Amino acid sequence: MKTVLKSHNCGELSAKNIGEEVTLSGWVACVRDLGGIIFLELRDRSGFFQLVADPQINPDIHAVFSKLKTESVINIKGKVSKRPDETYNPKLATGEVEVYPTYAQVLSEAETLPFVLDDENVSEDVRLKYRYLDLRREFMLHNLTLRHKVVTAMREYLNGQDFLEVETPILNKTTPEGARDYLVPSRVQEGKFYALPQSPQIFKQLLMVGGIERYYQIAKCFRDEDLRADRQPEFTQVDLEMSFVNQDNVISMVEGLVQAAFKAAGVEVQLPLKRITWQEAMDRFGSDKPDTRFGLELFNVTDIMEASTFQAFKDVIAAGGTVRAIKIPGIAGYSRKDMDDVRNLAISFGAKGLAWITYMETGEVKSPVLKFLNEEQIKEIQTRAGAQNGDIVFFVADKPKVVFDVLGRFRLYFGKKLNMINPDDHALLWVVDFPMFEWSDEEGRYMAMHHPFTSPNLDDMDKLKSGDLGNVKSIAYDIVYNGTELGGGSVRIHSPEVQKEVFKALGLDDATVQEKFGFLVNAFRYGTPPHAGLAIGLDRLIALLCRTDSIRDVIAFPKNSGAKCLMSDAPGEATLQQLRELHLKSTVKK
Ligand code: ASP
């Protein structure tokens, strides 16, 4: 649309506009004075455009341009002309044309910027403090543009599938994801607090009770957790829920959604996606979000070690542990120091120790544990590993959780180190059949692996009732992309009896359930459709599609790792008056 200050965008002008009168506005990207003639690069969101001021031809304009500071905002008028041969650049979108303005106005003069926009090495703190300037950089504009395109594609897909976009409240009660809540004190209800939603989980289920049948929302969620590189205190989910569906229905709906999202980013996804069970993912990759772009799969040697004379491993197995192994090819030449580093790495990942067998290039087999194994056992390990001369097989023995975690991280470490990962591959898959509960050492009890509204596998109801919680599977599923969890969801419980059993297993008594989730449980008494859903972490999806490691690079105004906004200085202090109104007292000493 034409406006008074813009007839065209900078980046859209080309040879076909030659002779046209145009009005352009934008930022002064750079000014070059070449022997009296000034070349000015004007930038707006669409791209760059060359303006020329020649003191012989347009002295007034030349006078304005010669005083201009970069990043000032200007408005010009003039006729598009063909560039002379010397500056003709057919490779650039606008490289065939230029304008000798006949009118120029400075709309806003810029002070010297705190950093040069194309400086690659500017620190992230500075970028975040001046985020509005950082957003002018091409790469940030690219990321936000891609985010917009992907979100638009996802909305269009879901709208086309009959979903309704519904907003759910931000000020509410605690939700069941299990992270720490952000609390907002109520002024009118003395001593009461709202909790910001960790997700719209309860509300989307209530929307199903309300007959909406297909819901989605690009939802802001809040979790007060210690922030890792890929976490933000507030983040965005593409959240959806469907009625009258089973797991397969949700999976194929979401596959279409993910395909549309990737397509908007220029990546073709072939459907259907592979599915593997949680157990298989752990056994083969040591992770419930496996990066399947490369091999280095784990294998089980518990039976062999149990029959060996290696007491340390036998003790672990007797205590219910497991022994798993991984073969790393071509590193048999590692020095003693290299091996110390590898052992320390395993220990930093949580292992108590590391054992290995080295298959030397010479054919010799060396290992500190060889003496505990007989010929046959040694052979069997080599067969299971598929080990060749030059390879090393590593073993870790511990509780399954520790073993998988250590070897899973080992696998990723060597996958990267040995350049086994092709960054152009796109490995999308589903992990299904998650356990319903997970033991928490910290809490000394079983916790819901997904959340307490996730349906157990109904075949496992006996185990649930008898308290064999470690073996109850759930109808939960995660979608994984290149080793990162993109999203997860589940079929929900809609029977009050099953819900009661699950709350019981989680140690939630009736009073706590009523206090926390009473409104959901009560709603289920009035006709509840079977329902299921899922949420995709939008920031992470966009970061992966933009190929950046940091979700901060795809959020316009993110917080730093201290949950602080370096630009606005949030969180700020409250005045005594505000605290009083909120019925709060500060214990912070000034
Ligand atoms: N609310 C869940 C989460 O945020 C997703 C779901 O079950 O739909 O992880």
Side-chain angles (χ1 to χ4, degrees), residues 518-532:
F519 62 114
L520 179 69
V521 176
N522 295 342
F524 279 11
R525 297 181 359 227
Y526 301 108
T528 306
H531 58 289

Side-chain angles (χ1 to χ4, degrees), residues 262 267-269 291-295 419-428 480-483 544-545 547:
F262 275 66
V267 180
E268 288 301 329
V269 171
D291 188 339
T292 55
R293 288 175 296 174
F294 66 104
N419 284 326
M420 299 177 92
I421 305 173
N422 176 355
D424 293 325
D425 276 357
H426 302 279
L428 269 161
V480 175
Y481 173 56
N482 290 352
L544 289 166
L545 293 174
R547 296 195 180 197

Side-chain angles (χ1 to χ4, degrees), residues 2 36 102 137 161 222 270 312 318 348 389 463 497 499 524 542 546 564 585:
K2 280 189 189 184
T102 49
R137 302 193 328 158
Q161 298 288 338
F222 307 83
Q270 299 297 329
S348 75
N389 291 351
K463 291 181 193 153
E497 291 74 46
Q499 187 68 71
F524 279 11
I542 305 295
C546 288
K564 194 172 156 162
K585 254 192 212 138

